């Protein structure tokens, strides 16, 4: 059983501010964390390893500092961490990011076949939720997004039953391995890591991959060159105005409703307080 | 599948004491684990802060090449005596302070402590964070054999444990190395703000020529509303550290809230202009042990030694603590190395650590100022009375009234006698001398 988990180191958004002039995040001096969904993806992989044996590999594309995040994953039970880091990868959008991750996963699985790919449902800084699906498409593996539970997992029969969150409720899907899941936090509550993992992680050094060693990436598909996304404008939307409240007790039912109808006609949002 | 974790030495706490101990032992080849409960080493630590290079150099002779994260070297130091609307300043500025590395630097612990821990890691110590030690493990005879952490499969074993848990010394207490919890009379509470300000403003306000100069001012009198305690104003690279500290007992007795005392101090007409336009960036509170030489815990027992704030190693008069902690940690580490060579971890053998400390400035200074806390305790009016008196004297002295100077001198003596009888003054001075001379 071999799982590969893609994690992203993100600014701790509880501390983040927006530069009002440029509309971009102020990242300087903001503490970083593992994207909150991703740590649950790691936990899920570790639980399957505990059940079936095998290995958990964690990969991330990011600056050298992202090594910390990989070490934290080793604390949580991952076996191997790979940091894909190169100046040329900078300023990647979801297209370029998914290329780099997919290409790295291809190299990993050439050496050691992969049964399961795990991603967070979205990154709290980019918030697109596109990277997981993008990688699934590139690698041509089935995608289960917004997964909340693994009902069954059979590495021998190569089938899994997974619950995913959809707008109407929960969808239960049966899917063949290898597959790619993007996960919600419910997938697996994070357990406190045992001391042996902490001791292992204290001296663990993640593998460092650049744009050309040990794997050659297609430079035209990475970083700013490989990113067709153009950010036109980023702004904070004005706060919504409060809706009007027409009190039936004050106006009487007839007047309140009549006034409400006029206002709806003028496309306002109205709450009619029927409390008499 | 619980694994038994066995090391040559365990250190509890990643402050200067613990890190110095871990570094010393790891460097000599002992398999050492340092356990720190904070998110990272230094995450939970803060102080005034002035760091003294002599203690760092003893630990790491080449520390300067390892680029420690210092803020500013101290080129001006001294005291301000504050009255409600005035100040008498006595500071010392000298070109003699200007050498590299300087004798003392201001430091931010959230940067310094991780740096020091990195040096310990490089020396081979295993630094484990986000892990708290819940208790010390003992065998049936009471000999310390390891610690229990708050993690699954979290017991760690070693023939020697160095406790450097800081002022809130719960493990030291539970081991019975000290009888009581810290009484509020023997512990100070300090609150501090880090106010960020452009370097050029700091330099202009404190009369510094550049980043190669810095000031550390300790302030008495009205800063603590005349109660026993001190306040401080230290320059960092692009910020000012400002804080007040008083015995916990004073806060309780006078029903004062620490942040109110700090807010009042910050608004003092003499202090306020230094902070103008600055943005509060960080606020914190921390205890300082004022237990003194005579109430220190036992420093060694079978398989265990205690170092730093956990053992009350602070010289409050000179606001020294980190250097005592680092020196004690280093000496505990050296004793642990010898214990391993001798294969003897008994209290008798480990008491060599206490001997080494008695022969160093750490316990010599502690011994000399052993009466300091009692002095403040029995002379609570001291700071308020004399700081106000000095300010009144200065005002009288520097104002011309068209009266003979002899009359002015008499008035000054009269002003003192209004506050304190001749006998009272004499008593205060004798007590102060005794507290200073040990
Ligand atoms: C409007 C907008 C403007 C942007 N502008 C810029 C810009 O100017 N410069 C810039 O550098 N970036 C920019 N980004 C960010 C960048 O496009 C994305 O952060 C990046 O491509 C990943 O997408 P995401 O954060 O939306 O991840 P999502 O698709 O939301 O992430 C889902 C999951 O994918 C995985 N994942 C995502 N990123 C990584 C990674 N790097 N390594 C490993 N796993 C990963 C994680 O498992 C994560 O939980 C912008 C994003 C947006 C939405
Ligand atoms: C406001 C203030 C101003 C000061 N100014 C100065 C100054 O200017 N110069 C100076 O030299 N000294 C100063 N001091 C004193 C100095 O800060 C201390 O003496 C020094 O930090 C003591 O070091 P230590 O290693 O013993 O303890 P600490 O630095 O307190 O370190 C103890 C460490 O142990 C950890 N810990 C505690 N319990 C556990 C546990 N059970 N498990 C795991 N980890 C644990 C803590 O998280 C902490 O990291 C000041 C103190 C204060 C509060």
């Amino acid at each position: 059983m071999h799982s590969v988990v893609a994690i992203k180191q993100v600014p701790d958004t509880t501390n983040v501010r927006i530069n009002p002039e440029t509309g971009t995040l102020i990242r300087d001096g903001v503490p970083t964390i593992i994207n909150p969904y991703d740590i649950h993806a790691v936990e899920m992989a570790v639980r399957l390893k505990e059940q079936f044996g095998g290995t958990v590999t964690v990969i991330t594309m990011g600056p050298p500092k992202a090594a910390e995040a990989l070490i934290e994953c080793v604390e949580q039970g991952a076996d191997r961490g790979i940091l894909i880091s190169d100046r040329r990868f900078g300023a990647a959008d979801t297209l370029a990011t998914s290329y780099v991750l997919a290409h790295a996963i291809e190299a990993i699985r050439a050496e050691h076949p992969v049964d399961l790919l795990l991603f967070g449902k979205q990154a709290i800084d980019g918030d697109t939720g596109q990277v997981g699906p993008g990688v699934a498409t590139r690698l041509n593996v089935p995608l289960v997004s917004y997964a909340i539970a693994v009902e069954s997992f059979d590495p021998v029969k190569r089938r899994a039953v997974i619950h995913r969150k959809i707008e109407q409720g929960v969808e239960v899907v049966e899917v063949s391995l290898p597959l790619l899941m993007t996960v919600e936090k419910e997938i697996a509550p994070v357990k406190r890591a045992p001391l042996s993992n902490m001791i292992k992680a204290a001296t663990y050094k993640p593998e460092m991959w650049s744009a050309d060693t040990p794997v050659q990436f297609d430079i035209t598909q990475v970083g700013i060159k490989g990113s067709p996304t153009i950010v036109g404008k980023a702004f904070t939307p004005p706060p919504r105005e409060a809706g009007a409240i027409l009190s039936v007790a004050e106006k009487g039912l007839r007047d309140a409703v009549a006034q409400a109808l006029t206002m709806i006609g003028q496309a306002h949002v109205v709450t009619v307080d029927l409390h008499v | 599948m619980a694994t038994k974790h066995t090391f040559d030495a365990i250190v509890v706490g990643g402050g200067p004491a613990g890190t110095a101990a871990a570094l010393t032992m790891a460097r000599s080849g002992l398999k050492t684990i340092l356990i720190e409960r904070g998110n990272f080493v230094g995450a939970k630590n803060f102080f005034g802060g002035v760091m003294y290079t002599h203690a760092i150099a003893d630990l790491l002779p080449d520390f300067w090449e390892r680029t420690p994260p210092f803020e500013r070297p101290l080129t001006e130091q001294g005291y301000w005596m504050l009255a409600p609307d005035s100040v008498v300043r006595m500071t010392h500025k000298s070109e003699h302070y200007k050498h590299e590395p300087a004798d003392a630097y201001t430091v931010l612990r959230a940067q310094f402590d991780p740096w020091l821990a990195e040096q310990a890691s490089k020396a081979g110590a295993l630094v484990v964070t986000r892990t708290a030690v819940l208790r010390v493990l003992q065998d049936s005879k009471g000999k310390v054999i390891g610690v229990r952490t708050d993690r699954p499969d979290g017991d760690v074993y070693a023939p020697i444990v160095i406790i450097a848990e800081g002022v809130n010394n719960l493990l030291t207490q539970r081991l019975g190395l000290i009888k009581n919890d810290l009484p509020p009379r023997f512990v100070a509470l300090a609150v501090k703000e880090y106010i960020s300000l452009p370097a050029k403003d700091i330099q202009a306000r404190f009369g510094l020529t550049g980043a190669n100069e810095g000031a550390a001012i300790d302030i008495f009198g009205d800063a603590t509303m005349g109660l026993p305690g001190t306040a401080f104003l230290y320059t960092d690279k692009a910020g000012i550290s400002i804080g007040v500290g008083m015995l916990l007992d004073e806060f309780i007795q006078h029903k004062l809230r620490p942040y109110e005392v700090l807010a009042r101090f910050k608004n003092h007409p003499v202090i306020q202009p230094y902070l103008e336009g600055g943005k509060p960036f960080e606020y914190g509170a921390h205890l300082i042990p004022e237990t003194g030489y005579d109430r220190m815990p036992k420093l060694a027992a079978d398989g265990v030694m205690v170092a730093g704030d956990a053992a009350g190693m602070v010289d409050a008069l000179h606001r020294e603590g980190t250097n005592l902690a680092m020196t004690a940690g280093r000496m505990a580490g050296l004793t642990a190395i010898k214990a391993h060579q001798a294969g003897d971890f008994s209290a008798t053998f480990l008491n060599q650590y206490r001997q080494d400390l008695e022969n160093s400035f750490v316990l010599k200074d502690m011994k000399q100022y052993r009466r300091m806390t009692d002095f403040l305790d029995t002379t609570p009016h001291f700071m308020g009375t004399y700081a106000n008196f000095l300010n009144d004297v200065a005002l009288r002295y520097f104002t011309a009234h068209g009266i003979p100077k002899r009359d002015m001198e008499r008035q000054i003596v009269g002003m003192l006698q209004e506050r304190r009888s001749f006998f009272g003054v004499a008593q205060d001075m004798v007590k102060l001398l005794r507290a200073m001379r040990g």
Side-chain angles (χ1 to χ4, degrees):
Chain A
M1 172 88 199
H2 183 200
S3 306
V4 175
V5 190
I7 63 142
K8 184 180 185 186
Q9 195 183 40
V10 294
D12 187 347
T13 45
T14 49
N15 288 305
V16 149
R17 281 165 304 139
I18 308 275
N19 179 335
E21 273 149 39
T22 59
T24 52
L25 293 184
I26 303 176
R27 288 174 192 259
D28 274 358
V30 178
T32 50
I33 54 171
I34 295 179
N35 183 41
Y37 304 101
D38 303 1
I39 195 70
H40 293 268
V42 173
E43 184 70 30
M44 187 66 239
V46 169
R47 289 197 187 183
L48 290 171
K49 177 179 87 168
E50 281 165 7
Q51 205 178 338
F52 302 109
T55 11
V56 175
T57 301
V58 180
I59 61 173
T60 190
M61 179 183 86
K65 188 176 150 47
E68 297 162 2
L70 293 172
I71 290 168
E72 210 176 314
C73 294
V74 172
E75 288 175 1
Q76 286 308 127
D79 302 282
R80 181 182 180 197
I82 301 172
L83 172 59
I84 310 163
S85 189
D86 199 301
R87 290 205 99 94
R88 288 170 281 181
F89 291 155
D93 68 5
T94 56
L95 192 73
T97 305
S98 63
Y99 163 71
V100 169
L101 297 178
H103 194 64
I105 292 166
E106 277 175 332
I108 293 166
R109 74 178 179 190
E111 269 175 28
H112 185 179
V114 174
D115 306 287
L116 177 64
L117 297 164
L118 285 148
F119 284 68
K121 76 158 176 180
Q122 70 196 61
I124 56 168
D125 57 343
D127 257 345
T128 66
Q130 292 172 353
V131 173
V135 172
T137 308
R138 287 176 184 275
L139 296 177
N140 195 26
V141 294
L143 166 72
V144 182
S145 51
Y146 308 106
I148 53 169
V150 174
E151 186 185 298
S152 69
F153 196 92
D154 192 333
V156 180
K157 292 203 186 112
R158 309 208 57 74
R159 295 204 88 70
V161 177
I162 295 162
H163 296 207
R164 61 185 294 259
K165 205 190 255 177
I166 54 173
E167 258 170 50
Q168 298 83 351
V170 174
E171 188 176 54
V172 180
V173 289
E174 189 177 2
V175 58
S176 63
L177 307 194
L179 76 131
L180 188 149
M181 267 199 301
T182 78
V183 305
E184 300 269 2
K185 289 183 184 172
E186 298 96 303
I187 194 81
V190 176
K191 280 190 289 198
R192 192 155 168 77
L195 190 66
S196 33
N197 289 5
M198 301 299 291
I199 290 175
K200 182 178 163 203
T203 49
Y204 183 78
K205 297 264 180 298
E207 290 168 43
M208 300 287 278
W209 288 17
S210 73
D212 33 42
T213 37
V215 175
Q216 183 67 52
F217 289 86
D218 173 4
I219 293 302
T220 61
Q221 293 194 59
V222 307
I224 199 155
K225 275 193 206 149
S227 299
T229 307
I230 295 166
V231 182
K233 190 179 167 197
F235 61 95
T236 318
R240 265 208 280 169
E241 280 170 38
I245 297 177
L246 308 171
S247 166
V248 172
E250 276 172 28
K251 295 184 186 286
L253 187 58
R254 179 170 288 274
D255 278 5
V257 171
Q259 202 175 334
L261 287 173
T262 338
M263 287 172 82
I264 290 168
Q266 294 163 349
H268 277 102
V269 180
V270 177
T271 312
V272 180
D273 179 5
L274 288 172
H275 189 82
V276 191
Chain B
M1 42 149 220
T3 0
K4 188 168 172 179
H5 307 297
T6 311
F7 287 82
D8 293 334
I10 299 167
V11 179
V12 183
T19 311
L23 196 158
T24 305
M25 294 188 290
R27 187 163 48 196
S28 84
L30 294 191
K31 194 177 161 211
T32 307
I33 183 170
L34 171 76
I35 304 173
E36 164 60 45
R37 64 182 173 180
N39 248 342
F40 56 90
V41 171
K44 288 184 175 285
N45 302 344
F46 99 88
F47 79 149
V50 178
M51 201 62 92
Y52 306 90
T53 50
H54 73 87
I56 310 175
D58 284 345
L59 186 65
L60 282 168
D62 64 343
F63 77 92
W64 190 243
E65 284 77 58
R66 299 173 184 230
T67 55
F70 290 145
E71 291 289 305
R72 283 174 187 270
L74 293 194
T75 52
E76 177 165 357
Q77 310 189 54
Y79 302 120
W80 292 359
M81 320 294 165
L82 213 59
D85 50 10
S86 65
V87 66
V88 173
R89 297 179 166 140
M90 190 182 76
T91 65
H92 178 236
K93 181 171 185 165
S94 169
E95 290 296 310
H96 290 286
Y97 288 128
K98 287 191 173 175
H99 46 81
E100 275 194 347
D103 303 316
Y105 289 88
T106 50
V107 149
L108 300 172
R109 293 283 296 275
Q111 290 166 8
F112 183 85
D113 289 15
W115 171 83
L116 196 61
E118 201 185 307
Q119 310 313 311
S121 288
K122 282 186 184 154
L126 198 74
V127 179
V128 171
T129 56
R130 279 169 286 133
T131 304
V133 170
L134 299 179
R135 64 187 195 85
V136 174
L137 301 171
Q138 290 166 280
D139 70 6
S140 56
K141 296 199 191 84
K143 180 186 166 357
V144 168
I145 52 168
V147 299
R148 170 156 301 163
T149 68
D150 63 346
R151 290 201 173 263
D153 103 70
D155 289 358
V156 192
Y157 297 90
I160 190 95
V161 174
I162 296 177
I163 300 180
E165 59 181 332
V167 54
N168 201 3
N169 57 359
L170 302 175
L171 300 173
T172 310
Q173 288 171 32
R174 279 189 69 170
L175 267 181
L177 298 178
I178 192 162
K179 287 280 152 329
N180 312 308
D181 194 359
L182 287 170
R185 262 183 72 199
F186 298 128
V187 60
L189 174 63
V191 286
K192 160 183 158 172
E193 274 181 33
Y194 174 83
I195 312 254
S196 82
L197 259 181
K200 62 170 177 22
D201 291 341
I202 296 171
Q203 282 150 207
R205 289 171 199 188
F206 285 85
L208 311 169
T209 55
N212 61 335
E213 294 192 355
I217 316 285
D218 293 293
I219 302 163
F220 304 99
D222 191 61
T224 52
M225 308 165 73
L227 298 167
T230 55
F232 57 85
L233 199 57
Y234 300 155
T235 57
D236 298 307
K237 256 188 200 133
I240 289 178
S241 290
I242 182 168
V244 292
M246 296 200 289
L247 290 180
L248 197 51
D249 218 20
E250 301 290 339
F251 284 112
I252 298 169
Q253 268 184 33
H254 300 277
K255 296 201 165 43
L256 292 169
R257 290 174 217 276
Y259 59 86
E260 286 169 358
V261 180
L262 179 57
R264 185 180 172 278
F265 174 53
K266 281 170 63 187
N267 285 323
H268 189 284
V270 170
I271 302 301
Q272 204 274 334
Y274 286 90
L275 311 174
E276 188 67 46
K279 288 200 184 64
F281 196 77
E282 199 176 73
Y283 175 88
H286 205 283
L287 296 175
I288 306 174
E290 308 267 350
T291 31
Y293 182 81
D294 297 305
R295 296 176 206 91
M296 286 174 76
K298 251 167 117 179
L299 298 184
D302 289 338
V304 67
M305 290 179 270
V306 187
D309 273 11
M313 295 173 185
V314 162
D315 167 2
L317 183 65
H318 297 91
R319 51 133 156 84
E320 291 181 24
T322 54
N323 51 338
L324 280 72
M326 243 182 259
T327 304
R330 182 171 57 83
M331 287 180 166
L334 290 172
T335 302
I337 295 166
K338 288 185 196 140
H340 265 281
Q341 284 159 355
D344 184 352
F345 303 97
S346 66
T348 326
F349 190 92
L350 299 183
N351 248 319
Q352 195 182 327
Y353 162 56
R354 169 136 205 157
Q355 279 318 308
D356 293 344
L357 285 171
E358 294 278 5
N359 293 331
S360 77
F361 76 98
V362 175
L363 288 189
K364 284 199 168 136
D365 288 353
M366 294 275 302
K367 208 165 175 176
Q368 176 171 349
Y369 301 123
R370 69 204 295 175
R371 292 197 183 87
M372 233 5 171
T373 307
D374 292 320
F375 166 70
L376 291 176
D377 205 42
T378 57
T379 329
H381 62 87
F382 189 84
M383 308 245 186
T385 306
Y386 294 102
N388 283 339
F389 173 64
L390 277 176
N391 278 275
D392 291 349
V393 169
L395 186 63
R396 187 59 54 100
Y397 184 86
F398 291 116
T399 320
H401 285 290
I403 58 167
K405 293 298 179 231
R406 175 67 34 92
D407 291 351
M408 177 201 72
E409 284 160 16
R410 280 203 199 96
Q411 282 177 359
I412 288 178
V413 174
M415 277 157 50
L416 179 59
Q417 277 163 354
E418 268 167 36
R419 288 155 219 255
R420 197 98 175 99
S421 67
F422 173 76
F423 183 68
V425 174
Q427 213 180 21
D428 291 347
M429 292 307 145
V430 169
K431 271 193 187 166
L432 177 64
L433 264 179
R434 284 185 49 193
M436 300 277 292
R437 293 192 38 203

